[in-house]
Amino acid sequence: MQKYITTPIYYINGAPHIGHAFTTILGDVLKKFEQMRGNEVYFTTGTDEHGQKNQSSCQNSGLPLDEFLKMRSDNFRNLFDKMDIDYDYFVRTSSPEHKAVVTEALNYIWNKGLIKKKSYEGLYCEGCEQFKKPSDLDERGFCPDHQKAPQLLTEENYFFPLEQHRQWLIDYINTHPDWIKPRRFAKEVLGMLAEPLDDLCISRPKSRVWLGVELPFDKDYVTYIWFDALMNYISSLGWKPEGAADIRFNEFWPHCHHLLAKDILKTHAVYWPIMLKALGIEPPEHLIVHGYWLGEGGIKMSKSLGNVVDPYEVMDLMGVEPLRFYLCNAMSLTGDSQISIDLLKQGYKQLANNIGNLQMRVLKMIAKNLDGKVPSPAALSDKDKALLENLADTFARIYRYGELSLELVSELSAEILKAGDAVNAYFAANEPWVLAKDESQKERYEAVIYTTLDALRLIAAAVYPFMPQVSEKILASLGIAGKPSAADFKPQQLKAGTQTTVGAPLFPYIADKPAA
């Protein structure tokens, strides 16, 4: 089966932060999960290079436009490459391919008579690049996300009516209760649809914003950044109107999963499905929505507020893969999540004490007493077998039935840590270091060592989507080559006599900073 996974495309007016890193890591984790199940995955991420904020940043930089756009886009591409993100297509909205699709879509909707021109007065938030209703603002009249009062603007623009499709969208959400995950966000969208929808302004006059896709029916305007940016999800698949789309679109679009933070829920769950309906395209299969990472002061991280966590600093501290695991394990399913260097260090130490410690202890012991060779499982007790069967069954269930969601990622990461705790407890309770000294306990010693090694194999396979290099290092230390798959979740699959190697620690010690 095909799966299409997307992240939002990121504004290039500032440096990437940990929020961008998380959503993109999440997409990569879900891709690897699906690949382990044998599915074909197309995964896209990229940069949004149009709009007023990017235009202002370019003007402030003093660089030529093309040079500025490439430099800022490469900031994101380089980060994702450093994080080992296996994307299949990197979107740039400044590319001719994307602009062509936006132009075709605008012409298609224009020719259907669904766009009208009129004068409009509204409160415009430059940070959101959206007009706001008074009800969208806090008690001070500020945008909650950007902590700034929007500007009152009056101008003539082109509009795309939304109200005529409001009831259709309400019915769609009610008849597809798992379309938006987690479901609590569906209730939020239904709240947005409780009142009539204003027409969506889909243009900006070039006198104010010139960085964008020119309207094909009026050269004095460019396309509103969100109408432009949302089209990346179909331009990445080669969409064309009237059934002339690339084969990728026909194969992957029906299985599309959009990943997004809750601040862009309205654009993706209200504007986008109505835009798609106008184009004759079904909505994406699922919207997977996550909360915010809260920075210093408990406020959502934002470049404009200057409270971001630098992903490069964190990767230099703890490495890429522990960061990937921490973010996926720590994101709350019910709200927002705190992040700090201290919390990241705690997550790193948990991995070191859990999986890292387990691997090092058992491999050093087998190297000392069994010449590094995997012993026979012939003498496994019922409790030994039950431990392996429980681990294998848990992971097999998740990989067989898990649906792409935050719940899946949270459950899998939690079960990996629980498995590590269980096997560490088993290892400590059976005291193989004592058994090794008693020749009469040789069979029991070998049974404990085999059980621990095979459990480690199962954990290594399960952890692959989060930490692929760690997974392959553990498997290689057990004499197993290649990438794991969902078929590996069976007990007692480690072959007796296989040569193991100790190797370097998976999670080297991180020293705490000395007190000032």
Side-chain angles (χ1 to χ4, degrees), residues 287-308:
L287 303 181
I288 300 175
V289 188
H290 63 79
Y292 297 147
W293 289 103
L294 301 180
E296 188 175 351
I299 300 174
K300 175 204 166 191
M301 284 189 300
S302 166
K303 290 172 293 190
S304 59
L305 296 179
N307 65 339
V308 300

Side-chain angles (χ1 to χ4, degrees), residues 106 158 202-203 213-219 221-224:
L106 285 166
Y158 288 89
I202 64 164
S203 70
V213 180
E214 184 179 288
L215 291 186
F217 41 82
D218 194 329
K219 65 180 182 180
Y221 290 84
V222 296
T223 309
Y224 168 48

Side-chain angles (χ1 to χ4, degrees), residues 212-277:
V213 180
E214 184 179 288
L215 291 186
F217 41 82
D218 194 329
K219 65 180 182 180
D220 292 329
Y221 290 84
V222 296
T223 309
Y224 168 48
I225 189 167
W226 272 109
F227 195 95
D228 169 1
L230 288 164
M231 291 291 174
N232 96 86
Y233 300 129
I234 59 174
S235 69
S236 298
L237 294 177
W239 173 84
K240 293 184 183 299
E242 304 294 352
D246 188 291
I247 190 172
R248 285 176 304 160
F249 180 83
N250 298 324
E251 289 181 346
F252 285 100
W253 180 257
H255 313 289
C256 178
H257 295 72
H258 290 332
L259 311 182
L260 56 138
K262 65 182 184 180
D263 59 333
I264 52 175
L265 179 60
K266 185 173 185 178
T267 55
H268 284 76
V270 178
Y271 300 164
W272 182 225
I274 294 177
M275 289 164 59
L276 289 169
K277 191 171 193 305

Side-chain angles (χ1 to χ4, degrees), residues 356 359-360 363-364 367 473 476-478 500-506:
Q359 186 218 28
M360 191 58 68
L363 289 178
K364 282 185 175 180
K473 284 178 182 178
S477 75
L478 301 177
T500 66
T501 54
V502 177
L506 295 173

